[in-house]
Amino acid sequence: MPDIRLPAEAKYKTELDALAAHDDKPRPPGWALSPRAVEMYILGSPKPVGGVAITPKYVGDKGLIQVCIATLASDRALMLVGEPGTAKSWLSEHLSAAISGTSALVVQGTAGTSEDHIKYSWNYALLLAQGPTPEALVPSPILRAMRSGKFARFEEVTRTSPEIQDSLISILSEKQVSVPELGEITSAQRGFNLIATANTRDRGVNEMSAALKRRFNFVTVPVVEDLEQEIQIVTKREAELRNDYQVGVPPPEELSRVLLTLFHELRKGVTKDGKTKVRTPGAVLSTAEAISVLFNSSILAQQFGSGTVTSHELAASLVGAVVKEQEDDVKALREYMETVAKGRTGPWKELYTASKKLLRG
């Protein structure tokens, strides 16, 4: 059975191989590609490389990507911060794939993350049988990255407790992990680095210490403000999901535009023409959420509809995405439909009609 989702280094192997074969720029120690080739992989290339089209993985500010790459080339750890759904993890994965050849060395930050997840733990059956031996040691993804000179990724740092976060300080400062049970110190090989992510909505949950913050260069991944750019991103990623999962039908371009316009206006609290203020819901109306709404609509249309995505499927998916945090979100979306969508024509009017019964109450 094929994997549900291939890691970036596998899915885009042809592109990475082509870039590596034609990369004549200097590479930092341990890097699979030069900084310029990494940039080309992330942002795409207008011309094929070795006959291979290099597709854009991130659509956005070129300068932001260059700062990320330069930070990692300097051996300074990188912290990607921003609203949920702004492609922080996506960017982290592709940077790791292009530079280290693997994006799989990941620690997922949660309330239950312990120091074992960051440094090492033990195979307790072997520990009881042999005592503390190298064979009984279970290295964390970060320790494995240090040993192999690869990048490690730490997702959602601020969801872990402060004392666990601070166990990163010595790793980032000394580039070493001590294993006192074995009387050993593991020093990182050249090429090791760390890319971490944090949501701005988690700020104040487990705020990072000043000492830890100093070990990172912070780069803010912004919410996409340009409507045309976000339509491009959402359309591309939704098509990739349909291809990966082999399900769904292509949604009409006009419905994609309606959805993204709605997201933009609800996020900003005002219509595009600036004439009507709207209530902003508490739900995260991110680019990732828009991709999910459109993909879900395409599946509904294929499996339970006419085979063509209509406002009916879009409304059903949209309500579930917006109305999930608090009762006020229902009021916000209902108010938007009555004051904005109702007065517009074409698919807007159809969306208003389809959503009306779903938003009763």
Side-chain angles (χ1 to χ4, degrees):
M1 294 289 289
D3 293 342
I4 290 178
R5 182 185 183 278
L6 291 172
E9 60 270 19
K11 184 173 182 179
Y12 297 97
K13 184 177 186 303
T14 302
E15 294 185 27
L16 290 167
D17 288 348
L19 285 167
H22 294 82
D23 187 7
D24 58 359
K25 300 292 191 299
R27 306 180 188 184
W31 283 39
L33 297 174
S34 68
R36 184 60 63 88
V38 174
E39 178 197 29
M40 188 178 295
Y41 169 74
I42 299 292
L43 297 176
S45 171
K47 297 180 180 179
V49 175
V52 176
I54 309 300
T55 59
K57 318 303 178 303
Y58 177 83
V59 179
D61 182 15
K62 180 179 180 179
L64 181 149
I65 299 301
Q66 291 175 342
V67 169
C68 290
I69 297 170
T71 294
L72 295 168
S74 72
D75 273 348
R76 189 169 175 81
L78 174 65
M79 176 69 72
L80 299 172
V81 298
E83 286 282 306
T86 49
K88 298 182 299 297
S89 297
W90 176 260
L91 182 54
S92 166
E93 177 184 355
H94 282 283
L95 285 168
S96 297
I99 295 171
S100 288
T102 178
S103 59
L105 300 169
V106 186
V107 175
Q108 179 61 55
T110 68
T113 300
S114 68
E115 192 169 342
D116 291 354
H117 295 105
I118 295 173
K119 293 183 176 179
Y120 61 89
S121 59
W122 297 96
N123 179 321
Y124 286 102
L126 287 178
L127 188 65
L128 290 171
Q130 303 175 2
T133 62
E135 293 75 24
L137 186 77
V138 180
S140 71
I142 294 176
L143 183 54
R144 297 205 307 274
M146 294 176 70
R147 287 176 170 178
S148 58
K150 303 292 186 183
F151 278 18
R153 300 165 54 209
F154 199 135
E155 297 291 322
E156 310 291 3
V157 169
T158 49
R159 293 190 180 179
T160 64
S161 63
E163 58 270 21
I164 300 305
Q165 293 177 24
D166 284 347
S167 63
L168 288 170
I169 293 176
S170 62
I171 293 175
L172 297 178
S173 298
E174 308 298 330
K175 300 293 193 293
Q176 292 179 334
V177 168
S178 173
V179 186
E181 296 90 342
L182 298 178
E184 294 180 357
I185 294 177
T186 297
S187 295
Q189 298 299 301
R190 291 304 299 269
F192 165 74
N193 212 330
L194 182 71
I195 305 176
T197 66
N199 283 329
T200 51
R201 290 208 177 196
D202 287 338
R203 185 167 292 161
V205 176
N206 289 305
E207 186 71 22
M208 286 183 287
S209 66
L212 181 57
K213 286 180 178 179
R214 287 198 303 271
R215 271 67 183 183
F216 285 99
N217 190 29
F218 280 65
V219 173
T220 299
V221 183
V223 173
V224 182
E225 297 291 344
D226 183 82
L227 177 61
E228 298 303 323
Q229 188 179 75
E230 190 163 21
I231 290 172
Q232 180 186 349
I233 295 168
V234 170
T235 301
K236 179 178 182 294
R237 285 291 297 127
E238 192 276 334
E240 289 176 353
L241 286 173
R242 278 189 284 106
N243 182 66
D244 290 345
Y245 287 85
Q246 294 295 297
V247 67
V249 292
E253 183 180 342
E254 63 177 9
L255 283 185
S256 301
R257 183 171 293 276
V258 165
L259 174 65
L260 270 303
T261 300
L262 181 150
F263 267 44
H264 269 243
E265 292 179 334
L266 283 175
R267 280 201 302 250
K268 293 184 175 181
V270 65
T271 54
K272 284 188 67 181
D273 59 13
K275 294 180 179 179
T276 306
K277 290 186 177 181
V278 296
R279 188 188 309 195
T280 301
V284 178
L285 301 177
S286 65
T287 303
E289 197 72 63
I291 294 166
S292 177
V293 169
L294 209 58
F295 183 41
N296 193 63
S297 301
S298 78
I299 297 173
L300 285 173
Q302 181 192 53
Q303 301 296 328
F304 306 107
S306 63
T308 300
V309 181
T310 68
S311 296
H312 175 77
E313 288 82 22
L314 187 64
S317 302
L318 174 65
V319 171
V322 177
V323 183
K324 58 186 174 185
E325 290 197 8
Q326 50 195 353
E327 181 61 28
D328 282 350
D329 289 350
V330 180
K331 297 176 182 177
L333 185 56
R334 187 190 302 132
E335 182 180 295
Y336 178 88
M337 290 297 175
E338 291 290 341
T339 59
V340 178
K342 185 179 180 180
R344 292 174 175 171
T345 58
W348 283 99
K349 197 79 165 182
E350 295 166 5
L351 181 64
Y352 164 74
T353 303
S355 64
K356 195 169 183 179
K357 67 167 64 174
L358 298 172
L359 293 170
R360 284 177 182 165

